[in-house]
Amino acid sequence: CAYSLARARELQDIDAISRATDDLDIIEQRMYSKRIGAMASDLARVARGNILENAIRLVDLHHSSKHILEVQFHEEDGFGSGVTQNFYEAVSVALQVRSFNKLSMLWISDGRDDDCKMDPEGPFKYLINADGLFPQPLPATEAPDVIAGVESQFRFIGRLMGKACRDKFTVPLPLHPHFFEMVKGTHSGSTLDVLRSFSRGRDTLLPSDDYTRQHLVGAYCVIVTEMQERSKGMDESARKALVAELEEREFMSSYLNRSYQCSLAQFLATSAASFVDPLTATALCEGGESLKLSVENLAQYVDLIATFWFDAGVRRQIVAFRAGINDVFPLTSLEIFSPAEMDVMLCGERSIEWDKASLQLHIKLVSNEQGARYTKKSAPFQMLLDELVAMPIQDRARFLDFVTACPRLPPGGLASLGIEVAPESRSLDVCRYPRSRTCSKLMWLPAYATQMDLHEKLRAALANAKEGGFHEHQEALVVASRLP
């Protein structure tokens, strides 16, 4: 029929064109009938240029429809399930653009906003929170129109995911595991457990990295945990002695991996720290701006932050997201699934796809301190590529975490990641393992003689990465147990 239609158009035979078009319509209807049974589908055309605006309007119109939604892009010929899934992926990417987040106040920042200002289209164009995106808390004093706008965005995200799920698609938005725990209302654990999950800790920080507000709160959590454990059964005199000890304890290098030293008491005094939320600069309690932070009230401060970040400040967003799901199908139908299962159903598996050609194209080879550089044909580099291709998903995530401090690919994949590899300048006697500098996404690769040698040493390095790893600032390397 397609050939007949093309031939009819070539001959400009109007009747033949009409008959061929009717035949194609009949075939299409039969195909749809066999593919989705009694279900009907609606085809929508959207423009890639303003994908988010188009998606909001489309979902607003179609979320309550029982028809399957199929999407085609303007000025593109493709259609079908692959194109529709690409639509959901494109929307998820748009929701991670840093400049959009700055205006919409959807997600907690990863601390790279200033880096993005220098190059808005560069490597920091998108938010890359290592553990996933989590709603930015909203102060109760925020302007009503801002609150309404944020609620509207989260209701849209709920509708989008509900619509995609019902039509057997996914929206690959990398959300923090705690997000779905809050959606289900099943989180169990202490305030400190939750807060510490939002900071990757001292071991992920290099002295040259800027620490984020989450890192600072995480450091406070470590101190509060120790103080609470050690103070059990203490009398008032012993407790005061413990507070004095913690005040004089070195803080900046021990907890935030700075290259300089400063006690906790000095830091709190010089930073003029008070009971103000570090993310939104909002007072955490009445008169919080003038209530100075100290070791004695640190536990109270941490508890107020947890309440704001994971309850009062995000309650509206979670309620709006649930309402969005309910606009498409009853949220109760997801109650049998765990938060992790909900994540997979709505957002999909967090796959890391690459092949040797894409790795070779997008990994940049740079010079080391002595000016030496691998070429694309260098044996160590080729062995590295073979190793990366052979890795299962779990090890690929570990590799990304080791080199970039984020265990997943950003929007744009390898092309926007900017991993660099340089020869190890030190001899194998001194440095037998790969090491990395996550702030510049650089890995130093020793010139291994065999594939097995590279395989074993790289796996040992990745195993150690979880404990602070073989990063460039460490001189003493301790071999950890091998990965399972």
Side-chain angles (χ1 to χ4, degrees):
C1 281
Y3 172 79
S4 300
L5 179 58
R7 181 64 175 163
R9 285 174 175 165
E10 183 181 341
L11 298 175
Q12 296 185 347
D13 186 336
I14 303 300
D15 291 337
I17 290 174
S18 178
R19 288 194 301 272
T21 301
D22 289 342
D23 289 341
L24 280 174
D25 286 341
I26 293 171
I27 291 172
E28 259 189 20
Q29 289 173 7
R30 288 175 178 172
M31 287 174 63
Y32 275 101
S33 175
K34 288 185 177 181
R35 181 160 64 100
I36 59 176
M39 291 288 291
S41 66
D42 296 329
L43 181 64
R45 289 182 174 84
V46 300
R48 287 190 184 272
N50 51 349
I51 185 71
L52 198 52
E53 181 183 334
N54 279 207
I56 291 172
R57 189 161 54 244
L58 177 59
V59 170
D60 184 49
L61 292 171
H62 204 272
H63 69 268
S64 59
S65 173
K66 301 296 189 247
H67 292 188
I68 287 177
L69 176 63
E70 293 203 30
V71 175
Q72 186 176 29
F73 290 101
H74 279 304
E75 300 180 353
E76 296 182 25
D77 295 330
F79 68 94
S81 61
V83 176
T84 302
Q85 180 58 57
N86 182 252
F87 161 75
Y88 288 113
E89 291 173 3
V91 176
S92 74
V93 169
L95 288 169
Q96 299 173 68
V97 173
R98 191 179 302 275
S99 57
F100 167 74
N101 186 64
K102 193 76 174 175
L103 296 173
S104 61
M105 301 171 60
L106 290 187
W107 315 113
I108 291 177
S109 174
D110 57 4
R112 295 287 193 171
D113 292 349
D114 290 339
D115 295 313
C116 183
K117 289 178 183 177
M118 295 182 288
D119 185 8
E121 295 298 316
F124 302 110
K125 177 179 179 180
Y126 302 100
L127 291 175
I128 308 176
N129 283 308
D131 295 314
L133 302 172
F134 192 80
Q136 177 177 317
L138 276 176
T141 55
E142 190 61 76
D145 60 324
V146 173
I147 292 175
V150 172
E151 289 177 332
S152 176
Q153 291 284 0
F154 274 92
R155 187 158 191 163
F156 157 70
I157 294 171
R159 287 175 172 178
L160 182 77
M161 289 190 176
K163 186 67 183 174
C165 180
R166 192 174 66 185
D167 294 352
K168 295 183 169 51
F169 296 103
T170 59
V171 181
L173 195 62
L175 295 172
H176 195 284
H178 190 61
F179 179 83
F180 286 107
E181 291 180 356
M182 293 197 67
V183 170
K184 278 186 64 69
T186 58
H187 175 73
S188 60
S190 70
T191 294
L192 295 179
D193 290 338
V194 179
L195 275 178
R196 291 183 70 175
S197 74
F198 273 74
S199 173
R200 310 205 74 203
R202 173 194 181 280
D203 290 336
T204 63
L205 276 172
L206 298 179
S208 54
D209 290 342
D210 293 329
Y211 65 85
T212 66
R213 298 175 180 91
Q214 294 95 300
H215 282 117
L216 182 58
V217 172
Y220 290 156
C221 287
V222 174
I223 293 170
V224 169
T225 300
E226 179 185 352
M227 185 163 53
Q228 290 179 344
E229 290 177 352
R230 290 179 59 187
S231 63
K232 291 177 181 177
M234 278 186 174
D235 59 24
E236 186 62 20
S237 176
R239 197 189 70 81
K240 286 183 178 179
L242 174 60
V243 169
E245 175 194 331
L246 293 173
E247 286 176 339
E248 296 307 313
R249 178 178 293 176
E250 202 293 312
F251 179 67
M252 296 306 289
S253 64
S254 298
Y255 292 89
L256 295 172
N257 203 24
R258 300 300 85 191
S259 58
Y260 56 91
Q261 294 191 342
C262 176
S263 72
L264 178 57
Q266 289 173 325
F267 173 78
L268 294 177
T270 56
S271 63
S274 61
F275 273 58
V276 170
D277 173 52
L279 295 179
T280 63
T282 303
L284 293 168
C285 59
E286 188 174 351
E289 303 95 332
S290 56
L291 180 58
K292 298 304 179 185
L293 189 59
S294 67
V295 175
E296 289 192 335
N297 61 24
L298 200 56
Q300 180 189 359
Y301 174 76
V302 164
D303 188 61
L304 288 172
I305 284 182
T307 300
F308 182 51
W309 286 10
F310 310 121
D311 184 14
V314 296
R315 193 181 303 145
R316 295 183 182 92
Q317 296 93 308
I318 299 299
V319 168
F321 179 83
R322 287 172 176 160
I325 295 281
N326 265 318
D327 288 340
V328 182
F329 59 79
L331 182 62
T332 53
S333 61
L334 298 178
E335 287 180 351
I336 61 172
F337 301 104
S338 69
E341 290 169 335
M342 283 180 62
D343 188 3
V344 172
M345 288 179 63
L346 297 176
C347 302
E349 295 282 357
R350 298 187 180 185
S351 62
I352 302 172
E353 302 295 335
W354 59 43
D355 55 28
K356 189 168 183 176
S358 62
L359 288 166
Q360 184 155 294
L361 178 64
H362 297 303
I363 292 180
K364 184 179 180 181
L365 299 175
V366 298
S367 302
N368 63 14
E369 300 90 332
Q370 299 172 349
R373 178 191 300 224
Y374 287 130
T375 69
K376 295 288 186 180
K377 296 182 180 179
S378 296
F381 180 62
Q382 287 296 314
M383 287 191 291
L384 174 66
L385 297 183
D386 291 337
E387 184 66 23
L388 294 177
V389 170
M391 281 180 175
I393 296 298
Q394 186 180 29
D395 286 355
R396 292 183 181 191
R398 287 185 173 118
F399 173 78
L400 291 176
D401 198 30
F402 177 67
V403 181
T404 72
C406 183
R408 65 176 63 88
L409 290 172
L414 283 169
S416 62
L417 196 55
I419 291 177
E420 298 180 344
V421 172
E424 176 54 68
S425 57
R426 296 180 287 185
S427 69
L428 283 173
D429 293 334
V430 177
C431 184
R432 295 178 295 158
Y433 301 91
R435 57 193 179 101
S436 65
R437 179 189 288 157
T438 56
C439 58
S440 56
K441 301 175 184 177
L442 169 64
M443 183 178 80
W444 286 273
L445 179 67
Y448 298 113
T450 67
Q451 186 76 42
M452 181 55 67
D453 201 17
L454 183 148
H455 171 80
E456 292 179 349
K457 299 301 190 295
L458 180 58
R459 284 173 67 84
L462 300 188
N464 273 269
K466 253 191 145 177
E467 305 302 326
F470 300 147
H471 294 287
E472 57 91 14
H473 65 290
Q474 292 185 314
E475 294 298 328
L477 306 182
V478 180
V479 181
S481 58
R482 291 185 179 182
L483 295 171

